[in-house]
Amino acid sequence: MAKREEKRNLETIPVGSLGIIPLEGCKPLGEKVDYYLVKWRAERESEHKGSLAFTGYQRDSYILDTKVPRFGSGEAKGVINQSVRGDDLYLLIDVTNYSLTYSLCGHENHMSPDDHYQNLKRIIAAVGGKARRITVIMPFLYESRQSKRSKRESLDCALALRELVNMGVDNIITFDAHDARVQNAIPLHGFETVQPSYQFVKGLLTNVKGLEIDSEHMMIVSPDEGGTSRAIYIANVLGLDMGMFYKRKDYTRLVDGHNPVVAHEFLGSSVKGKDVVIIDDMICSGKSVLEVAAALKKREARRIFVFATFGLFTAGLDQFDQAYRDGLFDKILTTNLIYQTPELLEREWYIDCDLSKYIAYLIDTLNHDSSISDLLNPVERIQSIVARYNAGEL
């Protein structure tokens, strides 16, 4: 795949000198992305390398020196310590990283999504319109769970998108948006919601032996009606059956801001004796996904694997440890697009899906103003890795 990418990218001139700004909380991911870009561009051969258009094309790092210092009152400012004039900037941000703290009038305060989003705006404001183009890569879309209005309430995600494009952001790249229709708020600007389907399949196949990938032995399940499209996609690409649960809710009361689930009802063919993959956009507290796993085990499913783009684990890992001991699931796969605790990475039931190389491909391709269509549709790559798995090459 790398060869195909490089061959295509050489045909165009970069939009501008490449600059990456991983905000605090997204540094480890940014450094991995930078590693790939430095490596590829050092190896890449081009007759135009010495030309003016390729100035600064090969560097030891594309990460720019930026800071967001805070005053004693908790207020902050964005600072960029080098020139960004004419640069093609890519800002990486993880709004869910609660591990970071700052001092607020002598108290230690953990950073919320709001704090991270404000820092993003501070850095964009520090650019001051000098960059050639600004692309924000925000894997977990800020306020994406508040994407539609059902009564008198705020439309926070749409508001944030409008605010970013008004500040001069050209493109927004997110992963597995809770509801992609929120892009209707910015119809004249670039908005991509990327699915990490290939990385999930690769993570499963490289870590689990003895899988039979056909409709007799395997099934894809969506834990709710909202996630059926991603389940249908994976099921179609792998040639499997698909089932779904729908949540029966109690609409007479609110608990923690939403209507509590009374029961999970299953729609689909028998799961008896089959390996089942539950696929969702996020694991928040994890209550729903464990209830779905338990319901599948009652229906005599064999092994259960969970794919979730974002593993928030807001209620901790204890209930997952217990469910694993009880045999409710075999593996949980989430990505490194958001903060992962050291405890999570040590769990034997956890598989980490690294997306840094994929993000590097996106940045490299966009910097050359080339099409990313084939990167967004990984059917060939998925079928190729399944063929290699079946041939015993993995």
Side-chain angles (χ1 to χ4, degrees):
M1 174 175 168
K3 282 180 180 150
R4 188 177 78 220
E5 289 301 307
E6 292 181 5
K7 191 176 173 187
R8 177 182 64 191
N9 283 349
L10 288 175
E11 292 166 8
T12 54
I13 290 171
V15 171
S17 188
L18 177 61
I20 302 172
I21 302 178
L23 275 88
E24 201 65 47
C26 210
K27 289 268 165 73
L29 181 64
E31 283 161 7
K32 282 185 172 180
V33 169
D34 186 50
Y35 162 78
Y36 285 113
L37 290 166
V38 170
K39 181 168 165 282
W40 295 338
R41 293 192 170 194
E43 293 167 356
R44 189 169 288 163
E45 292 301 324
S46 169
E47 58 188 301
H48 306 295
K49 258 186 184 171
S51 72
L52 205 59
F54 279 75
T55 306
Y57 189 73
Q58 285 184 343
R59 297 209 296 275
D60 293 335
S61 175
Y62 299 96
I63 293 177
L64 303 181
D65 180 14
T66 61
K67 286 186 174 56
V68 184
R70 285 186 182 266
F71 303 101
S73 59
E75 295 165 297
K77 63 178 176 182
V79 181
I80 301 175
N81 292 318
Q82 62 194 93
S83 172
V84 292
R85 191 177 292 278
D87 283 3
D88 184 21
L89 294 184
Y90 294 83
L91 281 63
L92 278 75
I93 176 170
D94 171 14
V95 297
T96 69
N97 192 338
Y98 60 89
S99 71
L100 300 177
T101 59
Y102 62 90
S103 175
L104 177 62
C105 300
H107 299 281
E108 187 182 56
N109 210 17
H110 282 263
M111 286 183 73
S112 71
D114 297 343
D115 291 315
H116 287 290
Y117 177 64
Q118 283 301 121
N119 282 358
L120 172 67
K121 291 197 295 184
R122 289 177 177 119
I123 292 295
I124 295 168
V127 170
K130 303 295 190 295
R132 176 77 44 88
R133 189 172 70 178
I134 298 176
T135 301
V136 170
I137 300 177
M138 187 189 283
F140 187 99
L141 188 59
Y142 174 67
E143 288 290 354
S144 58
R145 300 178 79 182
Q146 185 47 33
S147 57
K148 62 181 186 287
R149 179 181 276 158
S150 52
K151 46 182 176 290
R152 277 190 300 278
E153 56 189 15
S154 57
L155 278 166
D156 296 55
C157 190
L159 210 60
L161 293 177
R162 292 288 285 274
E163 195 170 21
L164 290 177
V165 300
N166 286 341
M167 290 183 77
V169 172
D170 297 279
N171 299 298
I172 294 165
I173 297 173
T174 188
F175 282 76
D176 214 345
H178 199 60
D179 186 346
R181 287 173 296 185
V182 76
Q183 67 187 290
N184 293 346
I186 49 165
L188 300 178
H189 288 78
F191 181 97
E192 298 290 351
T193 174
V194 186
Q195 299 288 343
S197 314
Y198 169 71
Q199 286 78 9
F200 281 142
V201 173
K202 183 182 176 185
L204 184 67
L205 299 187
T206 49
N207 288 281
V208 180
K209 302 289 171 253
L211 293 169
E212 293 180 79
I213 306 162
D214 58 50
S215 54
E216 295 291 309
H217 301 95
M218 203 174 201
M219 192 165 174
I220 307 289
V221 167
S222 172
D224 55 38
E225 61 277 20
T228 48
S229 59
R230 67 176 72 83
I232 288 168
Y233 179 81
I234 289 258
N236 285 347
V237 173
L238 295 177
L240 306 177
D241 277 346
M242 184 225 135
M244 67 163 275
F245 283 85
Y246 72 90
K247 295 173 182 173
R248 223 156 22 91
K249 294 186 177 183
D250 180 0
Y251 287 103
T252 61
R253 59 200 181 98
L254 276 176
V255 177
D256 292 337
H258 54 79
N259 304 104
V261 176
V262 179
H264 294 271
E265 307 288 359
F266 184 65
L267 302 172
S269 56
S270 171
V271 297
K272 188 174 179 179
K274 291 182 183 176
D275 288 334
V276 176
V277 174
I278 302 169
I279 182 162
D280 207 357
D281 61 337
M282 71 177 79
I283 293 173
C284 195
S285 67
K287 189 166 175 279
S288 274
V289 78
L290 292 178
E291 284 173 0
V292 164
L296 288 167
K297 278 292 180 188
K298 272 188 191 163
R299 290 169 172 80
E300 298 179 45
R302 190 171 166 235
R303 290 180 291 183
I304 291 179
F305 307 101
V306 181
F307 294 176
T309 309
F310 307 110
L312 297 166
F313 300 104
T314 56
L317 301 175
D318 292 347
Q319 59 177 337
F320 288 93
D321 292 338
Q322 186 58 51
Y324 180 65
R325 286 193 292 270
D326 294 344
L328 285 188
F329 69 88
D330 290 74
K331 295 286 182 189
I332 290 179
L333 293 81
T334 73
T335 69
N336 65 335
L337 293 169
I338 63 169
Y339 172 66
Q340 300 156 299
T341 62
E343 296 78 35
L344 175 65
L345 295 169
E346 287 166 6
R347 293 298 196 266
E348 67 171 303
W349 46 260
Y350 180 68
I351 296 173
D352 175 23
C353 298
D354 186 0
L355 267 289
S356 57
K357 192 174 186 180
Y358 188 41
I359 291 174
Y361 274 129
L362 289 170
I363 290 175
D364 202 17
T365 311
L366 289 169
N367 180 235
H368 278 267
D369 235 1
S370 295
S371 169
I372 57 170
S373 299
D374 65 323
L375 284 171
L376 299 179
N377 190 11
V379 175
E380 281 177 35
R381 279 175 293 153
I382 291 173
Q383 289 174 344
S384 155
I385 201 164
V386 168
R388 283 172 58 207
Y389 180 82
N390 290 338
E393 290 173 23
L394 289 186

